[in-house]
Amino acid sequence: VATVVLSDKNSDETLYVEPEKTTKEVTYQFADLDDAKDGKIIPIEDAEHLKEAIINVTATSNAGSTWYCGGGALCFNSLQTDDGNVWAAKSFMYNGTGDVTVKFDGTFSIADPDGGDMLTVEGKITEKSMILQDWWKSSEKDDNGADVECTYNSITLVYDYAGAEVPTEEATTEEATTEEATTEEATTDSTEDTSESTVAPTGVSALAYGDVNEDGKVDIIDVIKLNKYLLGADTLSDQGKYNADVDINGKTDSTDSLNILKFVVEILHAEDFPVK
């Protein structure tokens, strides 16, 4: 039994808001990829945030087998491990036609130097590409899958991001440039329109684009806080409002929220601010 008491009094308790993850998907058609001597070369845009690869396969049996399958691996020539750089792979298996998902969880398979079964190790991808190799086939009619025909159609690489931190050096340089430009404009032309001026209000420090909650970085939490403020469910300090105005038009609105989100998912970058 529980009793719930409703109150109009503010609570001092801070509610936890789980950070949202954003994803970026990049799809390649195998027909457009370069050939390696032992497979297809697949570019990697951001190895640190690579979470999975979705391979689309069309497989058939020309002998009418009721079951048939096959498999291969995404291979790396130089995986970084605690024992040095080694050749490694993430294997996969397909059954007929459809999508096959390969998860990048930090573990990889490497060859046993003693000739035994493959070993599992932890490693870090440092290369800018990987190679898809087709390793084996099998079917009801033939253990070696001579009747199995397989076509790799596409591969989608999925990158996960929990937030984007503002590059300190770039932000510092940009803020200094903005302050210098503002000072020069005020000195040379006092009659110029300043409706989009980046001069901070009294008591507010230099503009830190997108840092709505003033924690020194820009991530999905800033977007959430700004949206809650716009809905009347949260408050912002003068500094927070100033930081949220990334198009420096003197207003804090949903356009600013969208532009900060674009930064978080890496559509916009530090050099794109202020957004015009």
Side-chain angles (χ1 to χ4, degrees):
V1 177
T3 301
V4 179
V5 179
L6 301 180
S7 172
D8 60 357
K9 296 181 179 179
N10 292 329
S11 171
D12 293 332
E13 190 169 335
T14 301
L15 298 180
Y16 172 73
V17 179
E18 183 177 356
E20 294 185 13
K21 285 188 176 181
T22 56
T23 61
K24 175 183 178 182
E25 296 185 359
V26 180
T27 300
Y28 300 100
Q29 303 298 319
F30 276 94
D32 299 330
L33 294 174
D34 292 333
D35 293 315
K37 64 178 182 179
D38 48 3
K40 285 284 190 179
I41 301 173
I42 302 162
I44 301 174
E45 288 189 0
D46 184 354
E48 180 183 354
H49 295 96
L50 180 61
K51 293 303 177 184
E52 64 182 29
I54 304 170
I55 307 167
N56 183 261
V57 176
T58 298
T60 58
S61 166
N62 57 32
S65 293
T66 57
W67 64 264
Y68 48 91
C69 56
L74 297 172
C75 304
F76 305 87
N77 290 322
S78 184
L79 181 78
Q80 181 178 314
T81 71
D82 291 339
D83 297 324
N85 288 8
V86 296
W87 178 93
K90 293 289 288 186
S91 61
F92 62 85
M93 172 180 168
Y94 58 81
N95 291 288
T97 296
D99 289 337
V100 179
T101 300
V102 179
K103 299 285 187 180
F104 291 97
D105 55 3
T107 62
F108 300 82
S109 298
I110 64 171
D112 183 354
D114 297 326
D117 294 336
M118 297 282 280
L119 304 176
T120 300
V121 299
E122 294 184 354
K124 179 180 179 181
I125 304 171
T126 58
E127 296 178 274
K128 298 295 185 181
S129 64
M130 55 188 167
I131 298 174
L132 185 142
Q133 296 181 357
D134 190 41
W135 281 0
W136 61 276
K137 298 180 179 71
S138 185
S139 72
E140 176 192 24
K141 303 291 180 66
D142 191 314
D143 288 343
N144 295 317
D147 60 315
V148 179
E149 297 179 353
C150 173
T151 300
Y152 292 97
N153 302 312
S154 65
I155 181 168
T156 298
L157 303 186
V158 180
Y159 302 93
D160 273 2
Y161 297 91
E165 188 169 345
V166 179
T168 303
E169 183 177 348
E170 291 183 18
T172 301
T173 302
E174 190 169 357
E175 288 166 9
T177 303
T178 301
E179 289 176 356
E180 291 172 5
T182 302
T183 302
E184 182 178 353
E185 289 172 6
T187 302
T188 58
D189 188 0
S190 60
T191 61
E192 188 175 348
D193 180 15
T194 58
S195 59
E196 293 191 357
S197 171
T198 57
V199 177
T202 302
V204 175
S205 60
L207 176 63
Y209 296 110
D211 186 12
V212 180
N213 64 355
E214 306 168 65
D215 64 351
K217 60 184 178 180
V218 178
D219 53 26
I220 194 64
I221 303 301
D222 293 295
V223 180
I224 294 171
K225 186 170 182 65
L226 178 52
N227 286 340
K228 289 175 67 177
Y229 167 74
L230 295 175
L231 291 171
D234 202 347
T235 59
L236 295 181
S237 67
D238 288 342
Q239 181 71 59
K241 294 175 186 177
Y242 190 55
N243 291 349
D245 186 16
V246 295
D247 56 8
I248 57 172
N249 66 351
K251 299 184 297 182
T252 302
D253 52 28
S254 58
T255 300
D256 294 306
S257 176
L258 177 60
N259 284 324
I260 297 171
L261 179 60
K262 286 181 178 180
F263 176 86
V264 172
V265 299
E266 298 189 334
I267 295 175
L268 294 177
H269 303 86
E271 59 269 20
D272 297 317
F273 290 108
V275 179
K276 296 292 187 179

